[in-house]
Amino acid sequence: MPFVELDTNLPAGRVPAGLEKRLCAATAAILGKPEDRVNVTVRPGLAMAVSGSAEPCAQLLVSSIGVVGTAEENRGHSSRFFEFLTKELALGQDRILIRFFPLEPWQIGKKGTVMTFL
């Protein structure tokens, strides 16, 4: 059950319509998870700085069970997420950061329990 959060200082009007759905599909393909298990949040218009600069930028947070736990996995994921984000947001790679967080099933609550028991 991946969770993807895209924060950007781009104004909402500069974020392509439907980005959340395309990011959901891209995440499913990149992480090898079913699209109906992917959760995406897009937050435009934030006060942000990357590398000390408030020029247009974005940060992507990717949390998931079992697929973001090694440098080798994340190197491949990073490449594909960067390809997607630079195209969709028209930002250079130096204006985007990605953070990967591995999750355990007991850290995600759903249907009144945690994923461990579902």
Side-chain angles (χ1 to χ4, degrees), residues 4 16 28 45 56 58-59 62 70-71 75 85 98 104 108 116:
V4 176
Q59 293 182 34
V62 181
T70 70
R75 178 174 35 187
L85 292 172
I98 302 174
E104 297 294 329
I108 301 170
T116 304

Side-chain angles (χ1 to χ4, degrees), residues 12-104:
R14 218 179 121 196
V15 174
L19 176 64
E20 68 283 353
K21 291 292 289 173
R22 290 189 302 282
L23 181 54
C24 185
T27 298
I30 291 167
L31 299 182
K33 298 279 188 170
E35 192 170 341
D36 65 354
R37 307 289 305 267
V38 177
N39 304 281
V40 171
T41 303
V42 176
R43 288 184 288 265
L46 299 176
M48 293 177 59
V50 166
S51 300
S53 168
E55 290 298 312
C57 61
Q59 293 182 34
L60 187 72
L61 171 62
V62 181
S63 305
S64 188
I65 298 170
V67 294
V68 296
T70 70
E72 292 76 20
E73 287 173 325
N74 292 341
R75 178 174 35 187
H77 301 330
S78 182
S79 174
R80 294 178 70 191
F81 276 118
F82 267 96
E83 182 180 340
F84 175 85
L85 292 172
T86 55
K87 177 182 171 190
E88 288 282 342
L89 300 178
L91 293 174
Q93 288 191 1
D94 63 329
R95 302 305 302 152
I96 300 170
L97 293 174
I98 302 174
R99 294 178 290 156
F100 296 98
F101 288 95
L103 295 174
E104 297 294 329

